Amino acid sequence: MAASWLTAEQMAALKATADAMSSPGKGFLAADESAGPWLRAGHSGAKEIPDTVENRAAYRACCFSTPGLSEYISGVILHAETLVQSDADGNKMVDIITKGGMIPGIKLDKGYDKSGLPGTAIGPLGHGETWDKGIDDLEKRCADAYAAGARFAKWRNVLQIDPTKGIPSELAIDVCVKNLAHYAVICQRNGLVPIVEPEIVPNGSHPIEVCADVTERVLVAQFAALKLYGCYLEGAVLKPNMVKNGLAGPKAPAAVVAEKTISVLKRTVPSAMPGIFFLSGETALDEDNEETATLNLCAMNKAYKGLPWSVSFSYGKALQKTCIVSWMGKKENVPAAQKALLARAKANSEACKGTYVAGSCPSVGVDGNVMMQGGAY
């Protein structure tokens, strides 16, 4: 039996959490930025908000305490800072989340070294192929996170595409997926549902067909690695990239993104896994990333009914950009910011059902768009 190293009680607890995370019409708020989320919002005005501990706490408390948010959000991914942080009134962030009817989670990867794997080619991000650090002390960090109230975790590895250089290489794919599988089983041993995130970044000029081919290769390898390591799939979820063209490549419409993405998932993701939660990914500067992410998700769920998994969202700036611009570091703007967050969360919930109407959710749009700080990672 798969994952027979886990007790029946451990498997039942993991499955219950994964199923709750994958509730129909609900997704994740990715609030796990190491710095202020406004620095990665890709907006010229927002990046001027001072990045202080106090501002980060104030903004996150604003988001997590949004009335009604749990109607559309099942889980909130936190940075280590936020997991143990309190708001200005002394309320723990974890308590705000749980009392609001949502599940707290924790980002556990420690990022990657840009020196990359020795001998690998330089990709469109400007460095070699990579893998994430953090496995060595992961056991303790998982146990500590569980004790602090987290019930799921996230680990993101990054792969690049450059067909002319043979990127991603088989080596990079192998290292990426086994690193994620190792993290996943350590999480499960400590009671945390792992979000498995092999992100293929969109940087480059490749057409959507290349991304489809690479995504299929990566996911085939990922689930082989999860099986090799003994991961309990019913107690885990997947956070993949959508299949899209490169940022500088020929643009594919939402219907094609949906068709290519779902086709790849049908070929690669076992039905035992309860949920698939897309990252929004970087978008071109002439695109409204919030609206684009919602429309792509809606196109999938409108065209493909009865899929074996919940097909949902795990968005950061694609949920928060208008919220951040509405807030701008001012306490008096909290109601407007919460209204913006709730509206975009509702829009994505509708997208999970294939019912979102394009343009029906207010957005800051493309005004003020800049490349997000730190690029695609």
Side-chain angles (χ1 to χ4, degrees):
M1 178 182 177
S4 58
W5 55 276
L6 291 168
T7 67
E9 291 77 14
Q10 285 175 312
M11 287 192 286
L14 289 166
K15 185 178 187 303
T17 299
D19 286 346
M21 291 164 65
S22 306
S23 297
K26 294 187 180 184
F28 304 153
L29 170 60
D32 56 328
E33 303 89 354
S34 57
W38 43 89
L39 297 177
R40 288 179 60 83
H43 188 273
S44 58
K47 70 177 185 177
E48 301 303 322
I49 300 170
D51 184 26
T52 64
V53 172
E54 294 77 15
N55 271 347
R56 292 196 295 272
Y59 173 72
R60 284 162 177 158
C62 162
C63 291
F64 305 159
S65 63
T66 298
L69 190 61
S70 64
E71 187 175 346
Y72 314 116
I73 300 294
S74 61
V76 181
I77 309 172
L78 304 174
H79 186 267
E81 173 187 85
T82 319
L83 184 67
V84 296
Q85 199 171 39
S86 299
D87 68 9
D89 296 321
N91 301 301
K92 292 182 178 179
M93 297 295 179
V94 167
D95 291 341
I96 295 172
I97 292 166
T98 54
K99 287 176 182 177
M102 297 170 286
I103 306 168
I106 178 70
K107 173 189 174 181
L108 288 174
D109 70 75
K110 291 185 175 181
Y112 61 79
D113 189 334
K114 292 183 183 180
S115 60
L117 290 163
T120 57
I122 303 299
L125 291 179
H127 55 70
E129 299 182 286
T130 63
W131 79 101
D132 269 352
K133 300 174 289 185
I135 289 290
D136 288 353
D137 64 347
L138 183 59
E139 195 84 44
K140 182 180 186 304
R141 292 190 294 120
C142 282
D144 289 347
Y146 188 94
R151 290 299 177 267
F152 70 93
K154 173 196 145 177
W155 186 288
R156 169 181 175 256
N157 269 333
V158 168
L159 290 164
Q160 306 176 70
I161 293 179
D162 187 339
T164 67
K165 296 183 178 180
I167 297 176
S169 65
E170 290 302 317
L171 171 62
I173 292 173
D174 186 67
V175 171
C176 165
V177 300
K178 287 178 178 172
N179 178 255
L180 279 164
H182 194 179
Y183 137 83
V185 293
I186 293 174
C187 283
Q188 291 186 329
R189 181 159 61 191
N190 287 278
L192 300 175
V193 169
I195 296 176
V196 178
E197 184 177 359
E199 178 181 2
I200 303 160
V201 295
N203 304 68
S205 57
H206 51 276
I208 191 171
E209 291 80 9
V210 171
C211 183
D213 176 68
V214 170
T215 303
E216 184 169 343
R217 286 168 53 207
V218 169
L219 292 181
V220 166
Q222 184 64 76
F223 283 96
L226 290 170
K227 183 173 179 61
L228 178 66
Y229 277 76
C231 181
Y232 177 50
L233 292 186
E234 290 84 347
V237 299
L238 180 70
K239 182 173 179 176
N241 53 280
M242 297 180 186
V243 174
K244 299 192 293 186
N245 55 272
L247 293 177
K251 184 170 175 55
V256 176
V257 170
E259 187 273 323
K260 298 290 186 186
T261 302
I262 296 299
S263 293
V264 166
L265 296 177
K266 284 181 174 180
R267 292 170 181 164
T268 57
V269 183
S271 59
M273 184 164 271
I276 296 171
F277 299 84
F278 291 107
L279 57 94
S280 59
E282 182 75 346
T283 52
L285 292 181
D286 62 353
E287 288 183 280
D288 178 349
N289 69 294
E290 289 179 307
E291 185 75 356
T292 297
T294 303
L295 290 174
N296 284 337
L297 180 62
C298 187
M300 294 179 209
N301 284 297
K302 185 175 183 179
Y304 299 93
K305 305 292 185 182
L307 294 169
W309 345 265
S310 171
V311 175
S312 187
F313 59 95
S314 178
Y315 294 165
K317 71 173 185 176
L319 266 176
Q320 299 177 69
K321 187 173 181 179
T322 299
C323 172
I324 289 168
V325 175
S326 299
W327 177 66
M328 292 302 291
K330 299 178 180 178
K331 187 174 181 179
E332 61 268 27
N333 291 343
V334 165
Q338 291 182 333
K339 181 180 179 181
L341 177 61
L342 190 68
R344 185 52 65 178
K346 179 176 184 287
N348 283 300
S349 176
E350 291 170 352
C352 290
K353 304 166 188 174
T355 61
Y356 176 70
V357 177
S360 61
C361 180
S363 168
V364 70
V366 300
D367 292 343
N369 268 6
V370 293
M371 291 299 291
M372 68 181 186
Q373 182 166 307
Y377 48 85

